[in-house]
Amino acid sequence: MINPLRGMKDLTFDESQRFVHIIKTSIDIAKKYGYGYIETPILEETALFKRSVGESSDIVGKEMYQFEDKGGNDVCMRPEGTAGVVRAFVSAKLDRQPVKQKFYYYGPMFRYERPQKGRLREFHQFGCESFGEASVYEDFSIITMISQIFEALGIGFDLQINSLGCTTCMPPYKQNLVGFLTEIKEELCEDCNRRIGTNPIRVLDCKNQSCQSLLVNSPKLIDNLCEECDADFKKLTALLDNAGISYLVDTNLVRGLDYYNKTAFEFVSNNIGSQSAIAGGGRYDKLVEFLDGKPTPAVGFAIGIERIMELVQMPELEKEGIYMGAMVPEAVESLFPLASKKRKETKVTLEYNSKGFKSHMKGADKVNARTVVLIGEDELNNGTVWVKDLESKEEKTIPLSVF
Ligand code: HAM
C-alpha cells in the first residue's frame, strides 16, 4: 500500500466538509470587504521566495521544497501565498493602476518542517492581500475581518500585535539591539548567535526559555518607533479598543518572514497545543518595490486551515434534496428523466437497485434527504409517483408529469 508522504495528509469525510465550510465562510466575509479571487501557481522561481520571504528566514534557509526542473530552472513549491500574489500583481502591471486592489486566495503551501500536531509539510491557507492602501485603517479592517471569520466559525482566539517600524526607525533600533545581544552573546543559544549576524530581530522570538529570560531587558522597538509609526500603532490600538477587540501587545512578535514593516499580528488559540498560531499577517509596504513593481503599500494575512479544523463548530446539517428509488426493477429507468429534471433545481440521490420500502426510507435518511420519491408497481401502472416530505411528514401520490 502506498501512503501519503510524511507530513502530508488526505482530507476526507468529516475533514473535507470542515475544509469546505471554513473556505466558504471565509470567502463570504472576504467578499463583503471587497476582496476578489486570485489564483497563482504553486511552483515559482526560487528567487521569488529568497527575495521576499528572505534568505535568513527558516522558511527559505531550511524548509523549501526546492529542486531543478527538467529545463534546469531552480524552482520551489510555494511555502506561503503572499510572494506569489505580489509577483502576480507586478506581472499584471496592476501596480501602475491607480485603483486599490484586494485579493483572496486559498490552497496548499509546502514547508519541509519536522511534522508534529498542527505542523504539516503540506498545509492549506486562506489568505487576503490588500494593495494600495497606506492607512492604518486598512490594518484595522483586516484584523476586524479575521475576527469576524473566526467568530462565524465559532473559534475563540487571542490576538497579539506589534509594530516592526519602518526604514526610518528599524535600522537604528537594529544597531542598538545588536549591541545589546553582542554583550550577552556567550549565554545565547547557537541559533541566536547565528541570527545576530543575519537577522537580529529574529533573536527576539527564540523559543528557548533561557534565551527569553536574557531578553527581558533588551531594547524594545515599540519604545523606539519614529513619529509616524508610533502614531499609526497608537491609532491601531485605539481603533481595536473602540471596536471591543481585545489584544496583547507582544514586543517580541517579529514574524518568521522578512517582508513585514509596521503592523504585525498573530491570532493564537490555546486549545490546539504548541503550534498555536492560527493566523498571521501584517503590513509589507516595501515588497512590491522589492519585486520590481512601483512602490505600493500593502497589508495581508493568512489563516492556517488545518490548525483550525478541530476548533470549527459545524452548523447542523439541514435536510436537503430528493432521494429517488424504485420498488420494482421495471420502474428504475423511469426515474432517470425525473432525476435529470430535478437536478436542475436541487440535489438528487438516485438508487439504482430496486428495494423494499423500509430499505429506501433508510437510504433517504442516510443521505439526509428532505424528500423521498418512490415508484412501486401501482405507481408504475398508473403513471404516478409517491412523494413524502421528511420534514413536514406530508405524503401524497401525484402524476409523474406533475412532479
Ligand atoms: P505564516 O505565519 O507563516 O504567514 O503562516 C500563516 C498561518 O499558516 C500560520 O498562522 C499557521 O496557522 C499556518 N501554518 C504555517 N505553517 C504551517 C505548517 N507547517 N503546518 C500547518 N499550518 C501552518 C504567512 O504565510 C504569510 N504569507 C501571511 C501573510 C499574508 N502576511 C501578509 N499577507
Side-chain angles (χ1 to χ4, degrees):
M1 192 172 70
I2 299 172
N3 288 310
L5 296 173
R6 203 162 110 78
M8 305 200 176
K9 57 188 234 174
D10 306 307
L11 290 180
T12 49
F13 310 112
D14 180 52
E15 280 189 324
S16 62
Q17 283 181 28
R18 284 168 179 270
F19 183 89
V20 171
H21 178 61
I22 292 167
I23 299 297
K24 197 174 168 305
T25 306
S26 306
I27 291 176
D28 284 350
I29 293 173
K31 278 185 178 166
K32 294 199 174 94
Y33 282 76
Y35 287 79
Y37 184 53
I38 189 166
E39 173 80 34
T40 66
I42 286 170
L43 214 53
E44 297 268 9
E45 261 184 56
T46 301
L48 171 65
F49 302 109
K50 285 194 174 167
R51 261 160 79 181
S52 54
V53 177
E55 297 219 42
S56 69
S57 68
D58 283 353
I59 296 180
V60 170
K62 304 184 193 163
E63 299 166 1
M64 296 231 280
Y65 275 86
Q66 182 184 353
F67 58 93
E68 196 183 291
D69 73 6
K70 290 195 167 82
N73 305 299
D74 184 1
V75 297
C76 181
M77 312 264 278
R78 64 180 183 195
E80 57 101 53
T82 311
V85 174
V86 174
R87 195 228 8 90
F89 178 80
V90 176
S91 298
K93 300 191 171 49
L94 298 176
D95 53 330
R96 301 194 195 156
Q97 293 185 13
V99 279
K100 289 160 190 160
Q101 315 266 351
K102 299 181 186 214
F103 302 105
Y104 75 81
Y105 56 90
Y106 60 94
M109 309 293 158
F110 302 84
R111 296 184 191 174
Y112 198 85
E113 297 191 75
R114 196 170 47 77
Q116 65 175 81
K117 184 171 159 36
R119 196 204 273 151
L120 292 152
R121 287 180 174 169
E122 184 191 26
F123 59 98
H124 296 77
Q125 288 184 343
F126 175 86
C128 285
E129 314 294 349
S130 165
F131 295 97
E133 186 57 84
S135 166
V136 71
Y137 287 151
E138 190 68 345
D139 310 25
F140 168 67
S141 186
I142 276 194
I143 293 177
T144 311
M145 171 163 67
I146 307 166
S147 312
Q148 204 179 329
I149 291 174
F150 286 147
E151 198 180 310
L153 294 169
I155 296 173
F157 60 81
D158 289 325
L159 168 62
Q160 301 169 347
I161 58 169
N162 193 18
S163 175
L164 296 175
C166 65
T167 44
T168 306
C169 47
M170 181 51 109
Y173 167 74
K174 237 183 215 172
Q175 217 173 3
N176 197 358
L177 180 67
V178 170
F180 173 87
L181 297 174
T182 310
E183 277 182 21
I184 56 167
K185 208 171 162 188
E186 315 289 66
E187 295 153 89
L188 290 169
C189 73
E190 210 178 299
D191 267 352
C192 285
N193 266 284
R194 190 173 39 81
R195 282 178 177 144
I196 295 175
T198 56
N199 193 355
I201 63 162
R202 283 304 309 278
V203 173
L204 297 175
D205 80 343
C206 177
K207 300 289 172 279
N208 203 322
Q209 262 317 313
S210 73
C211 294
Q212 274 305 328
S213 57
L214 294 166
L215 294 169
V216 176
N217 297 321
S218 68
K220 310 287 180 223
L221 178 57
I222 210 91
D223 304 324
N224 294 280
L225 292 173
C226 65
E227 216 173 296
E228 188 190 306
C229 289
D230 189 48
D232 273 356
F233 194 63
K234 287 199 172 111
K235 184 84 205 164
L236 177 65
T237 53
L239 289 164
L240 291 170
D241 288 335
N242 282 343
I245 299 175
S246 40
Y247 58 86
L248 188 94
V249 177
D250 178 355
T251 50
N252 287 346
L253 176 73
V254 296
R255 310 272 301 127
L257 309 98
D258 289 353
Y259 47 63
Y260 295 108
N261 65 312
K262 290 194 173 176
T263 308
F265 58 82
E266 258 173 26
F267 284 72
V268 297
S269 161
N270 43 32
N271 296 320
I272 51 170
S274 65
Q275 298 305 310
S276 58
I278 53 176
R283 190 161 269 288
Y284 52 94
D285 294 329
K286 295 283 169 218
L287 188 53
V288 175
E289 215 174 322
F290 227 71
L291 295 176
D292 307 319
K294 272 176 65 178
T296 310
V299 52
F301 73 93
I303 296 175
I305 307 295
E306 282 83 357
R307 296 240 173 117
I308 60 170
M309 201 83 102
E310 285 171 29
L311 302 171
V312 172
Q313 284 169 22
M314 290 293 281
E316 250 191 55
L317 278 185
E318 285 185 18
K319 287 193 182 302
E320 185 203 352
I322 305 173
Y323 172 97
M324 290 184 184
M327 292 189 292
V328 285
E330 311 82 72
V332 172
E333 287 182 20
S334 58
L335 288 170
F336 281 109
L338 211 56
S340 292
K341 182 176 148 197
K342 288 294 173 186
R343 278 186 175 135
K344 290 181 183 139
E345 301 158 18
T346 188
K347 170 180 150 187
V348 175
T349 306
L350 178 55
E351 173 56 57
Y352 300 148
N353 294 312
S354 122
K355 292 179 180 181
F357 179 77
K358 270 197 183 153
S359 184
H360 277 312
M361 294 310 275
K362 264 193 205 151
D365 193 47
K366 243 188 201 158
V367 297
N368 208 28
R370 164 85 195 254
T371 313
V372 190
V373 172
L374 298 178
I375 301 188
E377 204 165 344
D378 285 352
E379 287 82 10
L380 186 64
N381 291 335
N382 301 332
T384 56
V385 285
W386 178 84
V387 183
K388 179 166 182 174
D389 184 322
L390 293 175
E391 210 129 271
S392 67
K393 310 286 177 216
E394 190 189 326
E395 50 181 273
K396 57 193 177 192
T397 301
I398 53 171
L400 225 154
S401 55
V402 175
F403 183 73

